[in-house]
Amino acid sequence: EAQLVESGGGLVQPGRSLRLSCVASGFTFDDYGVHWVRQAPGKGLEWVSGISWNSGSIAYADSVKGRFTISRDNGNNSLYLQMNSLRSEDMALYFCAKARGYKWPLYYDAFDMWGQGTMVTVSS
Amino acid sequence: DIQMTQSPSSLSASVGDRVTITCRASQSIDIYLSWYQQKPGKAPKLLIYSASSLQSGVPSRFSGSGSGTDFTLTISSLQPEDFATYFCHQSFSTPLTFGGGTKVEIK
């Protein structure tokens, strides 16, 4: 069964760093773009960042640009999100999501598989 | 950035009702609009992509329409398992953006 499993969330103080991971299984990971989407408690969905199948295209939301870095390791079927200078407004459930299109650009696409999320709590 | 405005933000409906949710983009996004269903404590689930294409495994009572700036998600006959929150999402350009969500509740 194809799935995505996130890990790495936890409690962190403002200004500190955290690295999220997402491990894929059951599909050919290196054929698809993958994204991070977050959801603050009781709020809607916010796209955070995405990376194309070959890492040739990367994009970020304005709210995290310069603080977060997305990367992938196709050999280990893994997606990462390095989060630096964390703020209270970064507190959310972070989902990784698989793009639907085979070797497609970051845009013109939809997310057809999601993980269950990993919670990031930013508090002193 | 492209803003996505969903309406209504919530609605109450009965089993068997026809339900329509709208999503408006702040600029044309062609057909690059998808719809997701999210139940409490769960990850979102893709229902519709490219404005009107039904994702595999999704019941045919769900349908999508529209292009440019105005889009609609329709549930032809609401079922008990359809009570959830629905989000639209544009993938025309980065940064990708979501609508604020529509919570469908039991009347």
Side-chain angles (χ1 to χ4, degrees), chain A residues 88-102:
Chain A
S88 57
E89 54 264 37
D90 296 319
M91 185 164 70
L93 184 64
Y94 283 72
F95 295 101
C96 66
K98 169 190 167 290
R100 185 181 172 277
Y102 172 81

Side-chain angles (χ1 to χ4, degrees), chain A:
Chain A
E1 178 189 359
Q3 64 176 350
L4 298 167
V5 179
E6 304 93 336
S7 62
L11 174 62
V12 62
Q13 294 178 328
R16 304 300 291 265
S17 299
L18 207 58
R19 189 194 198 206
L20 306 184
S21 300
C22 172
V23 177
S25 61
F27 67 97
T28 305
F29 181 70
D30 52 5
D31 283 341
Y32 298 91
V34 274
H35 298 252
W36 290 100
V37 177
R38 67 186 181 185
Q39 187 169 37
K43 301 297 184 182
L45 300 171
E46 180 188 15
W47 176 80
V48 173
S49 181
I51 185 167
S52 62
W53 59 278
N54 62 354
S55 301
S57 181
I58 287 174
Y60 299 94
D62 292 344
S63 58
V64 307
K65 201 174 294 182
R67 300 187 298 123
F68 290 12
T69 302
I70 192 171
S71 61
R72 65 188 295 164
D73 178 349
N74 288 344
N76 286 309
N77 291 341
S78 294
L79 171 70
Y80 305 102
L81 186 67
Q82 177 67 42
M83 304 186 296
N84 298 332
S85 302
L86 281 161
R87 305 168 180 168
S88 57
E89 54 264 37
D90 296 319
M91 185 164 70
L93 184 64
Y94 283 72
F95 295 101
C96 66
K98 169 190 167 290
R100 185 181 172 277
Y102 172 81
K103 292 186 177 177
W104 204 243
L106 274 185
Y107 40 89
Y108 298 166
D109 209 344
F111 306 139
D112 67 348
M113 185 188 307
W114 297 64
Q116 287 306 300
T118 186
M119 185 68 200
V120 173
T121 302
V122 183
S123 175
S124 55

Side-chain angles (χ1 to χ4, degrees), chain B residues 39-104:
Chain B
K39 296 181 179 179
K42 299 293 187 180
K45 172 187 174 183
L46 176 64
L47 300 175
I48 301 287
Y49 63 94
S50 298
S52 61
S53 295
L54 190 68
Q55 173 67 0
S56 176
V58 174
S60 59
R61 63 181 179 273
F62 291 94
S63 64
S65 65
S67 66
T69 60
D70 294 311
F71 301 86
T72 299
L73 173 70
T74 299
I75 309 172
S76 60
S77 178
L78 198 66
Q79 298 302 300
E81 59 268 31
D82 300 337
F83 292 95
T85 300
Y86 294 83
F87 295 94
C88 62
H89 163 63
Q90 71 81 18
S91 60
F92 180 75
S93 66
T94 56
L96 310 181
T97 47
F98 289 88
T102 296
K103 187 174 185 179
V104 177

